[in-house]
Amino acid sequence: MDNKYRYGISRAAIALVTITDGVYSYGTPIAWPGATALTLSPKGSIEPFEADNTDYAMIDKSEGYEGEIETAYIPAAIEAAILAMQEDSKKVAAEYSGQVYAQFAFLAQFEGDAHNRRIALYDCVVTARPEIAAKTGKSKTPDTTKVKFAARPRASDNLVKRHTKADTDTTTYNNWFTAVQEPVAGA
């Protein structure tokens, strides 16, 4: 049965990307607990190709997505992996100018009324350092942090995103957060 609606995000994770001779491989996913929101806006356009005095074909010039994850906290493992934070021997984290941010896959789950949809974005990179903010008050409501990133088409095959469906293979669905799931050849 298909979902009628979705109502939340959970199980966010990242997996670092390594590219060797144009072939993408992914590290073991690193959990990113505390996701409160995910926003992804399409980047690029769909343009008509005119022939026979009509819009003969629509050409997708997708450049992926731009977005942000809002989270309760950024764990140290995520800071080190995708925000280039470096820790010294005294366990103090430092940010340096001029860093090149690592590429990563982004994984998450959208809660649904019938089944939970799992998503993967295959070639992501941070596009802005997170803002630093805190406020005082008697409320114990936690502050959140937003990390902006781009999900680009993978250079090897233009793959941007995949997601599970109600009838997705059980093994693929169950292993979604243990390893980045690649498309099946010939599919």
Side-chain angles (χ1 to χ4, degrees), residues 16-20 23-27 103:
L16 291 176
V17 173
T18 302
I19 305 169
T20 306
V23 177
Y24 284 64
S25 60
Y26 298 90
Q103 290 171 256

Side-chain angles (χ1 to χ4, degrees), residues 8 19 24 32 45 50 55 59 66 70-73 81 88-89 94 104 127 131 141 143 152 162 167 171:
I19 305 169
Y24 284 64
W32 189 341
S45 62
E50 295 179 2
D55 289 344
I59 310 295
E66 291 178 334
E70 184 173 351
T71 183
Y73 198 74
D88 67 18
S89 62
F104 60 95
T127 59
E131 290 183 11
T141 302
D143 292 330
R152 309 169 298 188
R162 294 176 71 219
D167 57 353
T171 301

Side-chain angles (χ1 to χ4, degrees), residues 9 12 32-39 67-74 106 142-149:
I9 181 174
W32 189 341
T36 60
L38 175 67
T39 304
E68 67 183 18
I69 179 170
E70 184 173 351
T71 183
Y73 198 74
I74 303 174
F106 179 83
D143 292 330
T144 59
T145 301
K146 296 177 183 178
V147 176
K148 294 178 190 260
F149 66 96

Side-chain angles (χ1 to χ4, degrees), residues 151-170:
R152 309 169 298 188
R154 196 161 65 173
S156 61
D157 58 5
N158 287 325
L159 177 64
V160 177
K161 175 182 80 70
R162 294 176 71 219
H163 66 263
T164 62
K165 299 170 43 178
D167 57 353
T168 292
D169 172 78
T170 303

Side-chain angles (χ1 to χ4, degrees), residues 66-125:
E66 291 178 334
E68 67 183 18
I69 179 170
E70 184 173 351
T71 183
Y73 198 74
I74 303 174
I78 300 294
E79 282 185 329
I82 66 171
L83 294 172
M85 293 296 287
Q86 299 175 24
E87 188 176 286
D88 67 18
S89 62
K90 295 187 181 203
K91 303 295 182 190
V92 176
E95 174 185 323
Y96 293 92
S97 173
Q99 297 298 308
V100 175
Y101 293 116
Q103 290 171 256
F104 60 95
F106 179 83
L107 309 170
Q109 177 171 287
F110 295 147
E111 312 302 325
D113 62 299
H115 68 93
N116 297 328
R117 174 174 280 185
R118 294 177 174 180
I119 66 162
L121 300 161
Y122 286 82
D123 188 355
C124 301
V125 66

